Amino acid sequence: MKKILFSTMTVLALAACEDPYDREGVGFTGIDGEPRTISDVQGAAAFLPPATNVPAELAVLPPVVVTTDQTEAEKVARVAIDNGGSSDTSAVPVSGAETNMYLSTVNVNGTLYGVLRTASNGGKVDNSIGASFGRNAEQFTGCLPAGDVYRKGSSSKSSGFAVALDCS
């Protein structure tokens, strides 16, 4: 009994070392011995989209530095939204909404803000996206949110969202 228990524990311990999400390497699917392949064609069964790491991409972009004489938190956040990146060259594109969204960082009067905004063509998105951005700010920016999420827009749709960040 001890031999069976020891063998089982050894196998389970070694199996725990394997990454179940590791899909790289050579191997066979087990169906007719066909090799496993990856396709570059979107829509194909073996299509694997390019991996993105939003916090790493955001860290490469320098924050926009802005000064203002505004002191109210909402107005300072609005300055951050106005100066946030809205193109592929000044911000990280974030997909998932019906409108293109861009993520950037803006330093206003020494306070770093994470800014999520639409393209400069004036599109607007539902305010629920801003709430979701605030809850997941750490996932997107690598920094903790240090306050409320502010928005620029109407009561139902907005063109941008900003949240103060604590990156210490």
mmCIF file of all heavy atoms in Angstrom, residues 100-152:
data_model
loop_
_atom_site.group_PDB
_atom_site.id
_atom_site.type_symbol
_atom_site.label_atom_id
_atom_site.label_comp_id
_atom_site.label_asym_id
_atom_site.label_seq_id
_atom_site.Cartn_x
_atom_site.Cartn_y
_atom_site.Cartn_z
ATOM 1 N N ASN A 100 -13.254 52.138 -31.024
ATOM 2 C CA ASN A 100 -11.851 51.980 -30.659
ATOM 3 C C ASN A 100 -11.548 52.778 -29.400
ATOM 4 O O ASN A 100 -11.905 53.951 -29.298
ATOM 5 C CB ASN A 100 -10.937 52.441 -31.792
ATOM 6 C CG ASN A 100 -10.995 51.526 -32.976
ATOM 7 O OD1 ASN A 100 -11.340 50.363 -32.856
ATOM 8 N ND2 ASN A 100 -10.648 52.042 -34.141
ATOM 9 N N MET A 101 -10.879 52.129 -28.440
ATOM 10 C CA MET A 101 -10.503 52.780 -27.185
ATOM 11 C C MET A 101 -8.983 52.778 -27.092
ATOM 12 O O MET A 101 -8.322 51.867 -27.603
ATOM 13 C CB MET A 101 -11.096 52.029 -25.990
ATOM 14 C CG MET A 101 -12.596 51.909 -25.982
ATOM 15 S SD MET A 101 -13.454 53.444 -25.653
ATOM 16 C CE MET A 101 -13.043 53.709 -23.949
ATOM 17 N N TYR A 102 -8.447 53.794 -26.434
ATOM 18 C CA TYR A 102 -7.009 53.931 -26.284
ATOM 19 C C TYR A 102 -6.674 54.190 -24.814
ATOM 20 O O TYR A 102 -7.324 54.991 -24.152
ATOM 21 C CB TYR A 102 -6.479 55.072 -27.151
ATOM 22 C CG TYR A 102 -6.663 54.784 -28.611
ATOM 23 C CD1 TYR A 102 -7.761 55.260 -29.303
ATOM 24 C CD2 TYR A 102 -5.745 53.993 -29.287
ATOM 25 C CE1 TYR A 102 -7.938 54.968 -30.640
ATOM 26 C CE2 TYR A 102 -5.922 53.694 -30.624
ATOM 27 C CZ TYR A 102 -7.006 54.179 -31.295
ATOM 28 O OH TYR A 102 -7.185 53.881 -32.611
ATOM 29 N N LEU A 103 -5.639 53.501 -24.323
ATOM 30 C CA LEU A 103 -5.210 53.594 -22.940
ATOM 31 C C LEU A 103 -3.860 54.302 -22.895
ATOM 32 O O LEU A 103 -2.942 53.939 -23.623
ATOM 33 C CB LEU A 103 -5.092 52.200 -22.335
ATOM 34 C CG LEU A 103 -4.619 52.098 -20.895
ATOM 35 C CD1 LEU A 103 -5.639 52.728 -19.948
ATOM 36 C CD2 LEU A 103 -4.378 50.656 -20.519
ATOM 37 N N SER A 104 -3.754 55.316 -22.036
ATOM 38 C CA SER A 104 -2.500 56.044 -21.879
ATOM 39 C C SER A 104 -2.384 56.523 -20.442
ATOM 40 O O SER A 104 -3.313 56.371 -19.641
ATOM 41 C CB SER A 104 -2.440 57.234 -22.844
ATOM 42 O OG SER A 104 -3.498 58.131 -22.580
ATOM 43 N N THR A 105 -1.226 57.076 -20.120
ATOM 44 C CA THR A 105 -1.025 57.672 -18.801
ATOM 45 C C THR A 105 -0.719 59.146 -18.972
ATOM 46 O O THR A 105 -0.008 59.547 -19.906
ATOM 47 C CB THR A 105 0.127 56.991 -18.037
ATOM 48 O OG1 THR A 105 1.296 56.977 -18.848
ATOM 49 C CG2 THR A 105 -0.240 55.577 -17.646
ATOM 50 N N VAL A 106 -1.274 59.936 -18.062
ATOM 51 C CA VAL A 106 -1.080 61.387 -18.084
ATOM 52 C C VAL A 106 -0.710 61.828 -16.675
ATOM 53 O O VAL A 106 -1.382 61.467 -15.709
ATOM 54 C CB VAL A 106 -2.366 62.121 -18.562
ATOM 55 C CG1 VAL A 106 -2.176 63.622 -18.553
ATOM 56 C CG2 VAL A 106 -2.777 61.637 -19.941
ATOM 57 N N ASN A 107 0.334 62.602 -16.571
ATOM 58 C CA ASN A 107 0.779 63.142 -15.291
ATOM 59 C C ASN A 107 0.303 64.590 -15.204
ATOM 60 O O ASN A 107 0.814 65.453 -15.919
ATOM 61 C CB ASN A 107 2.307 63.065 -15.205
ATOM 62 C CG ASN A 107 2.824 63.424 -13.841
ATOM 63 O OD1 ASN A 107 2.217 64.196 -13.112
ATOM 64 N ND2 ASN A 107 3.967 62.871 -13.496
ATOM 65 N N VAL A 108 -0.687 64.840 -14.352
ATOM 66 C CA VAL A 108 -1.238 66.178 -14.188
ATOM 67 C C VAL A 108 -0.841 66.692 -12.806
ATOM 68 O O VAL A 108 -1.239 66.118 -11.795
ATOM 69 C CB VAL A 108 -2.781 66.189 -14.330
ATOM 70 C CG1 VAL A 108 -3.313 67.602 -14.205
ATOM 71 C CG2 VAL A 108 -3.206 65.575 -15.636
ATOM 72 N N ASN A 109 -0.051 67.745 -12.795
ATOM 73 C CA ASN A 109 0.403 68.366 -11.536
ATOM 74 C C ASN A 109 1.038 67.345 -10.587
ATOM 75 O O ASN A 109 0.844 67.405 -9.383
ATOM 76 C CB ASN A 109 -0.745 69.084 -10.826
ATOM 77 C CG ASN A 109 -1.279 70.256 -11.613
ATOM 78 O OD1 ASN A 109 -0.636 70.742 -12.528
ATOM 79 N ND2 ASN A 109 -2.462 70.704 -11.266
ATOM 80 N N GLY A 110 1.759 66.387 -11.130
ATOM 81 C CA GLY A 110 2.440 65.397 -10.304
ATOM 82 C C GLY A 110 1.616 64.173 -9.950
ATOM 83 O O GLY A 110 2.116 63.265 -9.301
ATOM 84 N N THR A 111 0.358 64.112 -10.348
ATOM 85 C CA THR A 111 -0.496 62.950 -10.098
ATOM 86 C C THR A 111 -0.651 62.168 -11.392
ATOM 87 O O THR A 111 -1.043 62.721 -12.415
ATOM 88 C CB THR A 111 -1.885 63.384 -9.578
ATOM 89 O OG1 THR A 111 -1.723 64.156 -8.401
ATOM 90 C CG2 THR A 111 -2.753 62.177 -9.283
ATOM 91 N N LEU A 112 -0.330 60.886 -11.337
ATOM 92 C CA LEU A 112 -0.420 60.041 -12.523
ATOM 93 C C LEU A 112 -1.842 59.514 -12.676
ATOM 94 O O LEU A 112 -2.417 58.978 -11.730
ATOM 95 C CB LEU A 112 0.564 58.876 -12.427
ATOM 96 C CG LEU A 112 0.702 58.008 -13.663
ATOM 97 C CD1 LEU A 112 1.303 58.808 -14.822
ATOM 98 C CD2 LEU A 112 1.564 56.799 -13.372
ATOM 99 N N TYR A 113 -2.397 59.654 -13.877
ATOM 100 C CA TYR A 113 -3.740 59.171 -14.193
ATOM 101 C C TYR A 113 -3.659 58.127 -15.296
ATOM 102 O O TYR A 113 -2.891 58.283 -16.252
ATOM 103 C CB TYR A 113 -4.635 60.320 -14.697
ATOM 104 C CG TYR A 113 -5.133 61.221 -13.605
ATOM 105 C CD1 TYR A 113 -4.378 62.307 -13.184
ATOM 106 C CD2 TYR A 113 -6.357 60.995 -12.989
ATOM 107 C CE1 TYR A 113 -4.831 63.146 -12.182
ATOM 108 C CE2 TYR A 113 -6.820 61.831 -11.987
ATOM 109 C CZ TYR A 113 -6.047 62.897 -11.592
ATOM 110 O OH TYR A 113 -6.503 63.724 -10.594
ATOM 111 N N GLY A 114 -4.457 57.088 -15.170
ATOM 112 C CA GLY A 114 -4.690 56.166 -16.265
ATOM 113 C C GLY A 114 -5.884 56.693 -17.031
ATOM 114 O O GLY A 114 -6.928 56.986 -16.443
ATOM 115 N N VAL A 115 -5.729 56.857 -18.330
ATOM 116 C CA VAL A 115 -6.788 57.464 -19.149
ATOM 117 C C VAL A 115 -7.210 56.478 -20.224
ATOM 118 O O VAL A 115 -6.375 55.961 -20.965
ATOM 119 C CB VAL A 115 -6.309 58.783 -19.792
ATOM 120 C CG1 VAL A 115 -7.376 59.345 -20.716
ATOM 121 C CG2 VAL A 115 -5.927 59.797 -18.729
ATOM 122 N N LEU A 116 -8.495 56.208 -20.293
ATOM 123 C CA LEU A 116 -9.093 55.377 -21.335
ATOM 124 C C LEU A 116 -10.045 56.273 -22.101
ATOM 125 O O LEU A 116 -10.992 56.811 -21.525
ATOM 126 C CB LEU A 116 -9.846 54.197 -20.712
ATOM 127 C CG LEU A 116 -10.486 53.207 -21.673
ATOM 128 C CD1 LEU A 116 -9.405 52.450 -22.440
ATOM 129 C CD2 LEU A 116 -11.379 52.237 -20.931
ATOM 130 N N ARG A 117 -9.771 56.444 -23.395
ATOM 131 C CA ARG A 117 -10.630 57.335 -24.180
ATOM 132 C C ARG A 117 -10.836 56.803 -25.579
ATOM 133 O O ARG A 117 -10.114 55.926 -26.041
ATOM 134 C CB ARG A 117 -10.076 58.748 -24.193
ATOM 135 C CG ARG A 117 -8.721 58.878 -24.859
ATOM 136 C CD ARG A 117 -8.242 60.289 -24.910
ATOM 137 N NE ARG A 117 -8.958 60.982 -25.956
ATOM 138 C CZ ARG A 117 -8.730 62.239 -26.303
ATOM 139 N NH1 ARG A 117 -7.845 62.942 -25.667
ATOM 140 N NH2 ARG A 117 -9.396 62.800 -27.283
ATOM 141 N N THR A 118 -11.826 57.366 -26.226
ATOM 142 C CA THR A 118 -12.124 56.981 -27.597
ATOM 143 C C THR A 118 -11.171 57.703 -28.533
ATOM 144 O O THR A 118 -10.427 58.591 -28.122
ATOM 145 C CB THR A 118 -13.577 57.330 -27.959
ATOM 146 O OG1 THR A 118 -13.762 58.741 -27.805
ATOM 147 C CG2 THR A 118 -14.562 56.596 -27.076
ATOM 148 N N ALA A 119 -11.229 57.344 -29.799
ATOM 149 C CA ALA A 119 -10.406 58.017 -30.802
ATOM 150 C C ALA A 119 -10.822 59.482 -30.884
ATOM 151 O O ALA A 119 -11.912 59.865 -30.445
ATOM 152 C CB ALA A 119 -10.558 57.327 -32.149
ATOM 153 N N SER A 120 -9.968 60.288 -31.459
ATOM 154 C CA SER A 120 -10.218 61.730 -31.500
ATOM 155 C C SER A 120 -11.373 62.130 -32.414
ATOM 156 O O SER A 120 -11.698 63.308 -32.500
ATOM 157 C CB SER A 120 -8.948 62.451 -31.938
ATOM 158 O OG SER A 120 -8.509 61.948 -33.174
ATOM 159 N N ASN A 121 -12.032 61.168 -33.065
ATOM 160 C CA ASN A 121 -13.143 61.500 -33.955
ATOM 161 C C ASN A 121 -14.455 61.753 -33.217
ATOM 162 O O ASN A 121 -15.480 61.979 -33.829
ATOM 163 C CB ASN A 121 -13.339 60.404 -35.008
ATOM 164 C CG ASN A 121 -13.683 59.061 -34.392
ATOM 165 O OD1 ASN A 121 -13.841 58.940 -33.182
ATOM 166 N ND2 ASN A 121 -13.781 58.049 -35.230
ATOM 167 N N GLY A 122 -14.447 61.685 -31.886
ATOM 168 C CA GLY A 122 -15.624 62.054 -31.113
ATOM 169 C C GLY A 122 -16.580 60.937 -30.778
ATOM 170 O O GLY A 122 -17.708 61.200 -30.374
ATOM 171 N N GLY A 123 -16.205 59.685 -30.908
ATOM 172 C CA GLY A 123 -17.082 58.579 -30.559
ATOM 173 C C GLY A 123 -17.323 58.511 -29.055
ATOM 174 O O GLY A 123 -16.527 59.000 -28.258
ATOM 175 N N LYS A 124 -18.437 57.933 -28.666
ATOM 176 C CA LYS A 124 -18.767 57.801 -27.250
ATOM 177 C C LYS A 124 -19.144 56.359 -26.945
ATOM 178 O O LYS A 124 -19.620 55.644 -27.807
ATOM 179 C CB LYS A 124 -19.916 58.735 -26.877
ATOM 180 C CG LYS A 124 -19.527 60.190 -26.988
ATOM 181 C CD LYS A 124 -20.542 61.089 -26.357
ATOM 182 C CE LYS A 124 -20.035 62.515 -26.465
ATOM 183 N NZ LYS A 124 -20.441 63.319 -25.380
ATOM 184 N N VAL A 125 -18.898 55.965 -25.697
ATOM 185 C CA VAL A 125 -19.207 54.614 -25.248
ATOM 186 C C VAL A 125 -20.040 54.678 -23.977
ATOM 187 O O VAL A 125 -20.116 55.716 -23.312
ATOM 188 C CB VAL A 125 -17.921 53.791 -24.998
ATOM 189 C CG1 VAL A 125 -17.169 53.565 -26.289
ATOM 190 C CG2 VAL A 125 -17.038 54.452 -23.974
ATOM 191 N N ASP A 126 -20.644 53.553 -23.634
ATOM 192 C CA ASP A 126 -21.481 53.462 -22.444
ATOM 193 C C ASP A 126 -20.646 53.692 -21.183
ATOM 194 O O ASP A 126 -19.485 53.292 -21.114
ATOM 195 C CB ASP A 126 -22.136 52.080 -22.406
ATOM 196 C CG ASP A 126 -23.200 51.999 -21.346
ATOM 197 O OD1 ASP A 126 -24.217 52.696 -21.469
ATOM 198 O OD2 ASP A 126 -22.993 51.232 -20.393
ATOM 199 N N ASN A 127 -21.230 54.332 -20.191
ATOM 200 C CA ASN A 127 -20.520 54.631 -18.949
ATOM 201 C C ASN A 127 -20.139 53.386 -18.159
ATOM 202 O O ASN A 127 -19.268 53.449 -17.292
ATOM 203 C CB ASN A 127 -21.357 55.560 -18.075
ATOM 204 C CG ASN A 127 -21.353 56.972 -18.608
ATOM 205 O OD1 ASN A 127 -20.465 57.366 -19.352
ATOM 206 N ND2 ASN A 127 -22.358 57.747 -18.241
ATOM 207 N N SER A 128 -20.749 52.256 -18.439
ATOM 208 C CA SER A 128 -20.381 51.023 -17.737
ATOM 209 C C SER A 128 -18.942 50.616 -18.047
ATOM 210 O O SER A 128 -18.291 49.940 -17.250
ATOM 211 C CB SER A 128 -21.339 49.891 -18.102
ATOM 212 O OG SER A 128 -21.240 49.588 -19.474
ATOM 213 N N ILE A 129 -18.426 51.042 -19.194
ATOM 214 C CA ILE A 129 -17.035 50.752 -19.540
ATOM 215 C C ILE A 129 -16.107 51.476 -18.570
ATOM 216 O O ILE A 129 -15.082 50.935 -18.159
ATOM 217 C CB ILE A 129 -16.756 51.138 -21.007
ATOM 218 C CG1 ILE A 129 -17.515 50.180 -21.919
ATOM 219 C CG2 ILE A 129 -15.269 51.125 -21.310
ATOM 220 C CD1 ILE A 129 -17.431 50.497 -23.374
ATOM 221 N N GLY A 130 -16.455 52.682 -18.166
ATOM 222 C CA GLY A 130 -15.645 53.426 -17.199
ATOM 223 C C GLY A 130 -15.612 52.750 -15.850
ATOM 224 O O GLY A 130 -14.562 52.669 -15.200
ATOM 225 N N ALA A 131 -16.753 52.230 -15.402
ATOM 226 C CA ALA A 131 -16.798 51.513 -14.127
ATOM 227 C C ALA A 131 -15.948 50.256 -14.196
ATOM 228 O O ALA A 131 -15.211 49.928 -13.258
ATOM 229 C CB ALA A 131 -18.244 51.171 -13.772
ATOM 230 N N SER A 132 -16.011 49.570 -15.319
ATOM 231 C CA SER A 132 -15.206 48.369 -15.510
ATOM 232 C C SER A 132 -13.719 48.726 -15.548
ATOM 233 O O SER A 132 -12.885 48.005 -14.999
ATOM 234 C CB SER A 132 -15.628 47.688 -16.802
ATOM 235 O OG SER A 132 -15.071 46.438 -16.919
ATOM 236 N N PHE A 133 -13.383 49.825 -16.176
ATOM 237 C CA PHE A 133 -11.998 50.300 -16.225
ATOM 238 C C PHE A 133 -11.485 50.597 -14.817
ATOM 239 O O PHE A 133 -10.362 50.241 -14.468
ATOM 240 C CB PHE A 133 -11.896 51.547 -17.106
ATOM 241 C CG PHE A 133 -10.564 52.239 -17.053
ATOM 242 C CD1 PHE A 133 -9.410 51.574 -17.399
ATOM 243 C CD2 PHE A 133 -10.475 53.566 -16.679
ATOM 244 C CE1 PHE A 133 -8.174 52.212 -17.364
ATOM 245 C CE2 PHE A 133 -9.259 54.209 -16.635
ATOM 246 C CZ PHE A 133 -8.099 53.536 -16.977
ATOM 247 N N GLY A 134 -12.301 51.204 -13.988
ATOM 248 C CA GLY A 134 -11.898 51.495 -12.612
ATOM 249 C C GLY A 134 -11.659 50.235 -11.795
ATOM 250 O O GLY A 134 -10.703 50.152 -11.024
ATOM 251 N N ARG A 135 -12.525 49.235 -11.965
ATOM 252 C CA ARG A 135 -12.363 47.973 -11.233
ATOM 253 C C ARG A 135 -11.123 47.213 -11.684
ATOM 254 O O ARG A 135 -10.494 46.516 -10.908
ATOM 255 C CB ARG A 135 -13.593 47.080 -11.425
ATOM 256 C CG ARG A 135 -14.779 47.467 -10.591
ATOM 257 C CD ARG A 135 -15.851 46.388 -10.646
ATOM 258 N NE ARG A 135 -16.268 46.040 -11.990
ATOM 259 C CZ ARG A 135 -17.222 46.655 -12.682
ATOM 260 N NH1 ARG A 135 -17.864 47.664 -12.133
ATOM 261 N NH2 ARG A 135 -17.544 46.264 -13.893
ATOM 262 N N ASN A 136 -10.781 47.330 -12.966
ATOM 263 C CA ASN A 136 -9.674 46.566 -13.531
ATOM 264 C C ASN A 136 -8.457 47.429 -13.859
ATOM 265 O O ASN A 136 -7.638 47.047 -14.691
ATOM 266 C CB ASN A 136 -10.144 45.847 -14.800
ATOM 267 C CG ASN A 136 -11.259 44.888 -14.511
ATOM 268 O OD1 ASN A 136 -11.176 44.092 -13.587
ATOM 269 N ND2 ASN A 136 -12.331 44.966 -15.277
ATOM 270 N N ALA A 137 -8.334 48.575 -13.210
ATOM 271 C CA ALA A 137 -7.219 49.480 -13.508
ATOM 272 C C ALA A 137 -5.875 48.818 -13.282
ATOM 273 O O ALA A 137 -4.935 49.019 -14.048
ATOM 274 C CB ALA A 137 -7.336 50.754 -12.671
ATOM 275 N N GLU A 138 -5.768 48.000 -12.255
ATOM 276 C CA GLU A 138 -4.495 47.337 -11.982
ATOM 277 C C GLU A 138 -4.131 46.371 -13.110
ATOM 278 O O GLU A 138 -2.973 46.281 -13.512
ATOM 279 C CB GLU A 138 -4.554 46.592 -10.657
ATOM 280 C CG GLU A 138 -3.245 45.943 -10.283
ATOM 281 C CD GLU A 138 -3.280 45.251 -8.936
ATOM 282 O OE1 GLU A 138 -4.366 45.093 -8.359
ATOM 283 O OE2 GLU A 138 -2.208 44.852 -8.469
ATOM 284 N N GLN A 139 -5.099 45.672 -13.636
ATOM 285 C CA GLN A 139 -4.855 44.731 -14.735
ATOM 286 C C GLN A 139 -4.395 45.477 -15.987
ATOM 287 O O GLN A 139 -3.529 45.004 -16.707
ATOM 288 C CB GLN A 139 -6.127 43.950 -15.028
ATOM 289 C CG GLN A 139 -6.009 43.000 -16.192
ATOM 290 C CD GLN A 139 -7.337 42.337 -16.516
ATOM 291 O OE1 GLN A 139 -8.308 42.467 -15.797
ATOM 292 N NE2 GLN A 139 -7.373 41.636 -17.625
ATOM 293 N N PHE A 140 -4.965 46.643 -16.244
ATOM 294 C CA PHE A 140 -4.626 47.394 -17.452
ATOM 295 C C PHE A 140 -3.338 48.190 -17.320
ATOM 296 O O PHE A 140 -2.588 48.310 -18.274
ATOM 297 C CB PHE A 140 -5.752 48.357 -17.827
ATOM 298 C CG PHE A 140 -6.975 47.680 -18.363
ATOM 299 C CD1 PHE A 140 -8.181 47.810 -17.720
ATOM 300 C CD2 PHE A 140 -6.917 46.915 -19.506
ATOM 301 C CE1 PHE A 140 -9.312 47.181 -18.209
ATOM 302 C CE2 PHE A 140 -8.038 46.287 -20.006
ATOM 303 C CZ PHE A 140 -9.246 46.423 -19.357
ATOM 304 N N THR A 141 -3.088 48.770 -16.149
ATOM 305 C CA THR A 141 -1.972 49.696 -16.000
ATOM 306 C C THR A 141 -0.814 49.147 -15.187
ATOM 307 O O THR A 141 0.285 49.681 -15.255
ATOM 308 C CB THR A 141 -2.444 50.993 -15.333
ATOM 309 O OG1 THR A 141 -2.898 50.693 -14.009
ATOM 310 C CG2 THR A 141 -3.539 51.662 -16.132
ATOM 311 N N GLY A 142 -1.059 48.126 -14.383
ATOM 312 C CA GLY A 142 -0.025 47.621 -13.500
ATOM 313 C C GLY A 142 0.067 48.418 -12.207
ATOM 314 O O GLY A 142 0.928 48.156 -11.380
ATOM 315 N N CYS A 143 -0.808 49.398 -12.017
ATOM 316 C CA CYS A 143 -0.827 50.239 -10.824
ATOM 317 C C CYS A 143 -2.207 50.158 -10.173
ATOM 318 O O CYS A 143 -3.210 49.923 -10.838
ATOM 319 C CB CYS A 143 -0.544 51.699 -11.179
ATOM 320 S SG CYS A 143 1.054 51.960 -11.961
ATOM 321 N N LEU A 144 -2.244 50.406 -8.873
ATOM 322 C CA LEU A 144 -3.513 50.387 -8.151
ATOM 323 C C LEU A 144 -4.283 51.683 -8.382
ATOM 324 O O LEU A 144 -3.678 52.759 -8.471
ATOM 325 C CB LEU A 144 -3.266 50.214 -6.656
ATOM 326 C CG LEU A 144 -2.673 48.879 -6.229
ATOM 327 C CD1 LEU A 144 -2.297 48.933 -4.754
ATOM 328 C CD2 LEU A 144 -3.655 47.764 -6.477
ATOM 329 N N PRO A 145 -5.611 51.608 -8.467
ATOM 330 C CA PRO A 145 -6.390 52.853 -8.557
ATOM 331 C C PRO A 145 -6.328 53.578 -7.220
ATOM 332 O O PRO A 145 -6.405 52.968 -6.163
ATOM 333 C CB PRO A 145 -7.811 52.369 -8.875
ATOM 334 C CG PRO A 145 -7.850 50.949 -8.442
ATOM 335 C CD PRO A 145 -6.457 50.417 -8.531
ATOM 336 N N ALA A 146 -6.160 54.902 -7.273
ATOM 337 C CA ALA A 146 -6.016 55.696 -6.055
ATOM 338 C C ALA A 146 -7.155 56.686 -5.889
ATOM 339 O O ALA A 146 -6.981 57.767 -5.343
ATOM 340 C CB ALA A 146 -4.675 56.430 -6.067
ATOM 341 N N GLY A 147 -8.323 56.328 -6.369
ATOM 342 C CA GLY A 147 -9.461 57.232 -6.252
ATOM 343 C C GLY A 147 -10.595 56.783 -7.157
ATOM 344 O O GLY A 147 -10.615 55.667 -7.667
ATOM 345 N N ASP A 148 -11.522 57.706 -7.341
ATOM 346 C CA ASP A 148 -12.696 57.438 -8.166
ATOM 347 C C ASP A 148 -12.360 57.519 -9.654
ATOM 348 O O ASP A 148 -11.363 58.124 -10.050
ATOM 349 C CB ASP A 148 -13.799 58.452 -7.852
ATOM 350 C CG ASP A 148 -14.325 58.303 -6.441
ATOM 351 O OD1 ASP A 148 -14.284 57.175 -5.912
ATOM 352 O OD2 ASP A 148 -14.769 59.314 -5.866
ATOM 353 N N VAL A 149 -13.237 56.938 -10.473
ATOM 354 C CA VAL A 149 -13.132 57.055 -11.917
ATOM 355 C C VAL A 149 -13.947 58.270 -12.332
ATOM 356 O O VAL A 149 -15.107 58.406 -11.963
ATOM 357 C CB VAL A 149 -13.667 55.791 -12.627
ATOM 358 C CG1 VAL A 149 -13.621 55.956 -14.136
ATOM 359 C CG2 VAL A 149 -12.889 54.570 -12.204
ATOM 360 N N TYR A 150 -13.322 59.147 -13.095
ATOM 361 C CA TYR A 150 -14.009 60.333 -13.605
ATOM 362 C C TYR A 150 -14.227 60.152 -15.091
ATOM 363 O O TYR A 150 -13.475 59.462 -15.770
ATOM 364 C CB TYR A 150 -13.175 61.582 -13.329
ATOM 365 C CG TYR A 150 -13.002 61.843 -11.852
ATOM 366 C CD1 TYR A 150 -11.857 61.424 -11.189
ATOM 367 C CD2 TYR A 150 -13.999 62.473 -11.135
ATOM 368 C CE1 TYR A 150 -11.704 61.647 -9.834
ATOM 369 C CE2 TYR A 150 -13.855 62.703 -9.774
ATOM 370 C CZ TYR A 150 -12.712 62.284 -9.132
ATOM 371 O OH TYR A 150 -12.572 62.500 -7.781
ATOM 372 N N ARG A 151 -15.270 60.781 -15.605
ATOM 373 C CA ARG A 151 -15.603 60.625 -17.010
ATOM 374 C C ARG A 151 -15.828 61.971 -17.660
ATOM 375 O O ARG A 151 -16.069 62.964 -16.980
ATOM 376 C CB ARG A 151 -16.855 59.759 -17.174
ATOM 377 C CG ARG A 151 -18.079 60.360 -16.549
ATOM 378 C CD ARG A 151 -19.291 59.441 -16.686
ATOM 379 N NE ARG A 151 -20.399 59.925 -15.898
ATOM 380 C CZ ARG A 151 -21.198 60.905 -16.266
ATOM 381 N NH1 ARG A 151 -21.025 61.499 -17.417
ATOM 382 N NH2 ARG A 151 -22.179 61.293 -15.487
ATOM 383 N N LYS A 152 -15.764 61.983 -18.963
ATOM 384 C CA LYS A 152 -16.071 63.182 -19.738
ATOM 385 C C LYS A 152 -17.176 62.807 -20.702
ATOM 386 O O LYS A 152 -16.962 62.009 -21.623
ATOM 387 C CB LYS A 152 -14.840 63.654 -20.500
ATOM 388 C CG LYS A 152 -15.106 64.892 -21.325
ATOM 389 C CD LYS A 152 -13.876 65.321 -22.074
ATOM 390 C CE LYS A 152 -14.224 66.567 -22.896
ATOM 391 N NZ LYS A 152 -13.092 66.960 -23.722
#
